[in-house]
Amino acid sequence: MQNFVFHQPTKILFGRETISSIGSESIVFGTRALLVYGSGSIRENGIYDRVMASLTEAGLEVIEYPGVRSNPVLSHVREGIRVAKEHRIEVVIAVGGGSVIDSAKAIAAGALVNHDVWLFFKGKKSVAGKLPLTCVLTLAAAGSEMNGGMVLTNDDLRQKFGTGNQHLKPQVSILDPEATFSVPLDYSVYGAVDAIAHILEFYFTTGDPTTPVQDRLMEGLVLNIMEACERILVDPKDYNARADLMWCATLALNGLTGAGLGPVGFPMHMIEHSLSALFDVPHGAGLSVVIPAWMTWRNEQNPLKFAQFARRVFGVLESDDRLAANQGIHSLKSWFKKVKSPVFLEDLDIAPSAIDDLAANAMDLARLWRLREYDQGIISRILQGCRRSGLR
Ligand code: NZQ
Ligand code: ZN
């Protein structure tokens, strides 16, 4: 167990009817609010009306800032910062999934500085504070509702970068599983895949060989995510399944699973962000293609942890570690196929001829995230393993 600091200041309100508290939870930070949301799902599913009723009743003056795209872009955030400064916003309220919450974080942080917000993502400036941020989560996936991360695509440079900082954690996040009833099944699955990826990034990249507490916590989360996802595919309005997936996705990336692991990396995300940046694929869909290929490549160096994962998550009985590990990777890939998440580049309509461009694009993030063992050749090799024809 390595030394760690676990500082989780985000207040979570979880469960039915919690959305009605967004007004009383936000007014404590001020009356001038910027309401950030996406392309309209909250208007269709009624969440917008419930949020606005609560904000109005609490006495907030609301400036609406809709239009956040999935895989959110810098140009929209820059305009949001301008609006926040013009209206002397006191609290930012995000209602949506990870794209909306990440955009709101960038706006809340950018509103307090005079330099371009992209410098935070380039690592040239660090976040020293942000406007208070309250959230209503509507999609279980990214974990942004309870972490200090934010991810943005620079639409001019076609770079998708993520950055993290303690100041970016929301003050309050409201998690009502019923808010996710309307999430389409494909995005429900992509959210489950994203949450599994967050766990596997920690699980397989820690340098500490003895982390039994975190390992079993993470293995349990993966099992629950897979089980809840399958129940949602049977009944999208299964409250308990939606609640299980929502809370697992939040726990998967709120610092708990990584506490005590020492330094870890996010190589699968480093590669996937290029798929999203260059081809605008849904984040989770890109990950279900990258994960098995990256695991196959990494397993060659460290079969023991992959064998443990195979035995504890998929019940693999094979005694040979390398064979067991391969069976575990195959089982995970089969599960992705079972829940209809893509597993090949071709499933994403990405031609193998794009691999060199993808690898070159990913290198920018590999350098920024100091993933020093990855060069363009290695990333290309991993991406080759994402091809239908590249199947080993
Ligand atoms: O545009 P809206 O109306 O919001 O529609 C969204 C969007 O089209 C829709 N949706 C969301 N909630 C819904 C709903 N549709 C019906 N009913 C609902 N209740 O679903 C689509 C996808 O939404 P999005 O927010 O893009 O999905 P997700 O939550 O998976 O967020 C993905 C973003 O999170 C980033 C990813 O890179 C990606 O940009 N991540 C953020 C992280 C963080 N902050 O820590 C870590 C993650 O690894 C991830 O990188
Ligand atoms: Zn992710």
Side-chain angles (χ1 to χ4, degrees):
M1 180 89 74
Q2 307 297 310
N3 286 15
F4 66 92
V5 172
F6 183 63
H7 179 195
Q8 241 317 336
T10 304
K11 176 180 178 183
I12 297 288
L13 284 74
F14 190 99
R16 288 187 175 88
E17 302 306 326
T18 46
I19 292 176
S20 56
S21 303
I22 188 65
S24 55
E25 292 294 337
S26 302
I27 192 73
V28 299
F29 300 109
T31 53
R32 291 190 300 278
L34 186 74
L35 178 64
V36 182
Y37 59 95
S39 50
S41 66
I42 65 168
R43 286 185 176 276
E44 290 150 29
N45 58 23
I47 292 174
Y48 171 86
D49 293 338
R50 291 165 61 193
V51 165
M52 285 304 287
S54 175
L55 299 181
T56 309
E57 188 188 338
L60 286 125
E61 300 157 33
V62 179
I63 302 286
E64 296 190 29
Y65 194 65
V68 174
R69 277 178 35 191
S70 188
N71 290 328
V73 293
L74 175 61
S75 53
H76 188 260
V77 162
R78 280 174 173 155
E79 174 57 15
I81 291 167
R82 192 196 61 74
V83 172
K85 288 181 176 177
E86 181 188 331
H87 292 275
R88 293 182 298 113
I89 292 298
E90 295 170 294
V91 54
V92 178
I93 301 168
V95 182
S99 292
V100 168
I101 298 173
D102 284 4
S103 295
K105 286 179 180 177
I107 291 168
L112 296 189
V113 296
N114 293 320
H115 62 70
D116 184 15
V117 68
W118 187 243
L119 296 183
F120 289 140
F121 294 85
K122 295 272 290 179
K124 301 286 186 215
K125 293 281 185 184
S126 65
V127 176
K130 75 172 183 327
L131 290 173
L133 170 64
T134 60
C135 306
V136 172
L137 181 68
T138 67
L139 196 161
S144 191
E145 64 278 8
M146 199 177 183
N147 74 27
M150 62 180 179
V151 181
L152 213 49
T153 295
N154 183 320
D155 28 347
D156 293 333
L157 303 177
R158 301 181 77 199
Q159 287 175 326
K160 179 166 181 155
F161 285 178
T163 187
N165 186 291
Q166 179 67 9
H167 294 293
L168 289 172
K169 289 178 178 170
Q171 274 62 28
V172 180
S173 284
I174 291 176
L175 278 60
D176 179 344
E178 289 185 348
T180 65
F181 280 3
S182 54
V183 177
L185 291 184
D186 55 353
Y187 273 89
S188 300
V189 167
Y190 299 155
V193 172
D194 191 18
I196 289 171
H198 298 152
I199 293 162
L200 301 188
E201 299 274 23
F202 288 113
Y203 190 88
F204 289 120
T205 67
T206 174
D208 187 333
T210 50
T211 53
V213 173
Q214 297 89 337
D215 286 359
R216 284 199 165 81
L217 177 64
M218 290 189 273
E219 291 151 8
L221 285 172
V222 169
L223 284 165
N224 276 303
I225 290 165
M226 293 197 297
E227 195 186 289
C229 182
E230 290 185 39
R231 282 159 45 208
I232 289 165
L233 292 176
V234 171
D235 174 8
K237 292 195 166 40
D238 178 332
Y239 178 84
N240 287 326
R242 289 289 190 182
D244 292 348
L245 179 59
M246 191 174 226
W247 191 227
C248 282
T250 301
L251 292 174
L253 202 56
N254 76 342
L256 183 65
T257 56
L261 293 183
V264 294
F266 259 51
M268 290 177 261
H269 276 70
M270 174 265 287
I271 297 172
E272 192 292 318
H273 282 182
S274 289
L275 274 63
S276 292
L278 298 186
F279 294 94
D280 199 21
V281 300
H283 177 56
L287 284 166
S288 55
V289 170
V290 171
I291 290 168
W294 178 85
M295 287 174 75
T296 302
W297 170 79
R298 179 79 180 215
N299 168 37
E300 290 163 11
Q301 303 147 12
N302 171 15
L304 223 52
K305 194 68 177 282
F306 288 82
Q308 173 182 298
F309 179 77
R311 292 178 179 124
R312 290 189 184 171
V313 174
F314 291 106
V316 166
L317 300 173
E318 170 60 53
S319 56
D320 175 274
D321 286 342
R322 194 168 298 280
L323 294 177
N326 284 328
Q327 286 182 30
I329 297 168
H330 180 75
S331 300
L332 182 61
K333 188 167 188 172
S334 303
W335 187 79
F336 289 152
K337 284 182 191 169
K338 178 181 177 184
V339 296
K340 296 189 176 39
S341 204
V343 292
F344 298 116
L345 286 176
E346 292 87 345
D347 296 339
L348 298 171
D349 293 327
I350 296 177
S353 56
I355 284 176
D356 287 346
D357 288 347
L358 286 166
N361 182 280
M363 275 308 294
D364 291 336
L365 195 49
R367 287 187 202 97
L368 192 62
W369 281 358
R370 298 192 180 88
L371 294 170
R372 292 189 178 84
E373 68 180 303
Y374 294 87
D375 61 23
Q376 192 163 332
I378 285 174
I379 297 171
S380 288
R381 188 167 152 224
I382 293 167
L383 285 165
Q384 289 293 340
C386 301
R387 295 172 56 174
R388 193 184 304 280
S389 53
L391 198 61
R392 281 184 182 73

